[in-house]
């Protein structure tokens, strides 16, 4: 992974905690050859010895039922690769937990009180393939979650950046062309999404698996792990739906509070969502920012009128 890292592109109670299940992405890149191919594609390197990888993926849950997908050392670089099917602005905080645990393991035989500086390999990378429209690449920062007292923001004393790469169709084409496994993974994901529009999830997963095997898409993996691949796909998409329902409930609750109590956060969240929905796909961040800026005065005016009525 690059030094800044990469991430690939739901109030109601939290969903019941489940036992952790592997994902298709995690299982595919547990294979050292696949993982080395992905590393080479991301970093534009040409390593050939997969045994040179030192896998340091955490095997115990870090937060609820979430694990980091894959972590490894190569070329004095710590690579933490994550896969996200729903947009998650909290990835920097999650990665802070992951990298802290990983570093603890790497220096467990060292002393932190030595006069000699310990050398640490640099992390992160996330791959995003959610249905929410996102730019080809973006950077999430831990400091965006900080709360500041006063008018002026201070330079953060703690920072962690995560690079997010969108691997949906039409995004980061060069990366997908270089890494065959990643490209075929997205073909499989797109096939399931297509069939779930008209079929039950289980039937959609079975059809996608059978077709991909027939067409030579992840065929070896799916042939050897057909039943498990179907089960993992159902689990992944059930969880994705659950997260979307939670986010919708949070949005509706925020809107309700904004209307009934005059709370700015709830109303701003609602109005911002409505503006973004009206924006056409394919616009740059700058164009979206300009259009949002034009709506600021309208939003503030609505808030003032709402507060007068409270």
């Amino acid at each position: 992974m690059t030094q800044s890292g990469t991430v690939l592109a739901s109030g109601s109670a939290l969903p019941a905690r489940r036992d952790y299940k592997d994902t298709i992405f995690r299982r595919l890149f547990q294979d050292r050859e696949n993982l080395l191919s992905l590393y080479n594609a991301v970093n534009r390197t040409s390593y050939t010895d997969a045994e040179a990888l030192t896998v340091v993926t955490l095997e115990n849950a870090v937060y609820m039922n979430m694990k980091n997908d894959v972590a490894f050392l190569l070329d004095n670089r710590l690579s933490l690769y994550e896969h996200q099917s729903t947009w998650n602005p909290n990835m920097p905080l999650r990665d802070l937990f992951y990298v802290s645990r990983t570093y603890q393991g790497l220096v467990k035989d060292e002393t932190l009180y030595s006069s000699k500086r310990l050398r640490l390999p640099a992390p992160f990378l996330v791959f995003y393939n959610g249905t929410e429209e996102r730019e080809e690449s973006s950077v999430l920062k831990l400091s965006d979650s900080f709360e500041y007292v006063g008018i002026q923001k201070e330079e953060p004393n703690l920072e962690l950046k995560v690079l997010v790469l969108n691997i949906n169709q039409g995004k980061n084409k060069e990366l997908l062309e270089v890494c065959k496994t990643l490209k075929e993974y997205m073909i499989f994901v797109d096939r399931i999404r297509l069939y779930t529009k008209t079929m039950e999830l289980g039937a959609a997963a079975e059809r996608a698996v059978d077709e991909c095997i027939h067409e030579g898409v992840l065929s070896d993996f799916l042939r050897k792990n057909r039943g498990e691949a179907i089960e993992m796909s159902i689990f992944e998409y059930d969880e994705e739906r659950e997260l979307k329902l939670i986010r919708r409930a949070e949005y509706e609750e925020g809107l309700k509070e904004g209307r009934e109590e005059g709370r700015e956060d709830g109303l701003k969240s609602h109005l911002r969502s409505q503006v973004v929905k009206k924006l056409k796909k394919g616009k740059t961040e700058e164009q979206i920012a300009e259009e949002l800026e034009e709506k600021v005065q309208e939003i503030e005016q609505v808030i003032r009128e709402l507060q007068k009525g409270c």
Side-chain angles (χ1 to χ4, degrees), residues 134-149:
R134 289 288 173 177
E135 57 270 33
E136 191 164 84
S137 66
S138 55
V139 176
L140 296 175
K141 297 187 296 183
L142 180 65
S143 61
D144 288 339
S145 298
F146 294 164
E147 290 188 356
Y148 295 89
V149 178

Side-chain angles (χ1 to χ4, degrees), residues 6 12 80 106 197 213 276 306:
T6 304
S12 64
L80 289 95
L106 293 177
K197 293 179 181 179
I213 290 174
V276 172
L306 179 63

Side-chain angles (χ1 to χ4, degrees), residues 155-188:
E155 187 71 22
N157 291 322
L158 175 64
E159 186 61 282
L160 185 151
K161 297 179 182 179
V162 176
L163 173 62
V164 182
L165 296 183
N166 190 337
I167 55 172
N168 280 297
Q169 185 175 5
K171 307 289 187 181
N172 287 294
K173 295 179 181 178
E174 182 180 352
L175 175 65
L176 270 66
E177 287 300 325
V178 174
C179 184
K180 180 174 179 287
T181 301
L182 190 63
K183 179 180 180 179
E184 293 185 358
Y185 166 72
M186 280 310 304
I187 293 174
F188 175 68

